[in-house]
Amino acid sequence: MDFRARIVTWTDVEKWCSSIRDQVIDSFVPDMIIGLSRGGLVPARILSDTLWIKDLISIKTEHWGITATKSGKAILRDPGKLNLNGRKVLIVDDITDTGQSMKLAYDFVKSQEPAEVKTATMLHITRSSFIPDFYGELVDQKNWAWFIFPWNVYEDLDNLLSKVLNGRASLEELKTLLLKNFDLKIEDTLLETVINDFVKAGRIISNSGVYSREKIAASQ
Ligand code: AMP
């Protein structure tokens, strides 16, 4: 197996965000949310709704370039100067894995001298060097997986398939390849929808229900 991958459902996202909301309400009254783009954008927007915080902005961190592959050190895209004087800020991301992205964001936000800063992620992996104040679920590092969030399905499946689809394969064979290489269990309807869209976008070629990436490989 290359590495494990898991599909995250919208129900998981709702459950984790509602757990974060409950923890925040019990201990902290933020007046501003900073979502880390891109992974933290949706959870930040959900928490902006459920915590009644209209002041929502985002800053961009970059760390994992291609699915499950780190691109060197985490970086923070220059966010410029933020006026956070007196603000109580909640920083939100999808997951703390190495923790480097959240640490960078936290240090930057702190440097802007807000009144208070707390951090929240939906998933927190035990190996992370940064521990968020609030998280939806703790994941033991021995259960590490690449979590395919609902907003990253196309990008992740494209990257996973590019690793395993060398020749031609039927939908059933694609499913088996994903299971064998990434222990990924994916519903037929989701895989079918995504593959059909890949075909429409020219990322995969369909020949009477047999799929290949030949044209893409040739053009790269
Ligand atoms: P990190 O700096 O390692 O804590 O992670 C930075 C970002 O990479 C996270 O906010 C996610 O968007 C993405 N990421 C890292 N690890 C994973 C993972 N195991 N599954 C899904 N996304 C991840």
Side-chain angles (χ1 to χ4, degrees), residues 151-209:
W151 44 86
N152 221 55
V153 170
Y154 281 58
E155 184 175 318
D156 283 337
L157 284 182
D158 201 17
N159 286 331
L160 295 189
L161 286 173
S162 74
K163 287 178 187 279
V164 295
L165 178 56
N166 298 316
R168 297 150 160 267
S170 65
L171 205 62
E172 206 45 45
E173 286 164 342
L174 288 180
K175 214 175 146 182
T176 309
L177 282 172
L178 292 172
L179 182 66
K180 260 193 170 163
N181 288 279
F182 310 109
D183 192 34
L184 179 65
K185 296 160 196 90
I186 180 165
E187 286 191 6
D188 290 352
T189 47
L190 176 59
L191 184 61
E192 208 173 325
T193 304
V194 174
I195 295 296
N196 281 337
D197 286 344
F198 282 2
V199 171
K200 283 186 215 149
R203 303 215 53 90
I204 276 187
I205 297 168
S206 164
N207 206 327
S208 321

Side-chain angles (χ1 to χ4, degrees), residues 39 63-64 93-101 144-147 149:
H63 195 189
W64 297 70
D93 205 358
D94 49 0
I95 180 168
T96 23
D97 184 339
T98 65
Q100 282 181 33
S101 303
W144 188 94
W146 184 261
F147 294 92
F149 296 103

Side-chain angles (χ1 to χ4, degrees), residues 102-117:
M102 187 57 104
K103 168 90 172 83
L104 265 182
Y106 178 82
D107 288 347
F108 167 72
V109 171
K110 266 281 198 203
S111 74
Q112 305 297 297
E113 303 183 338
E116 219 177 332
V117 191

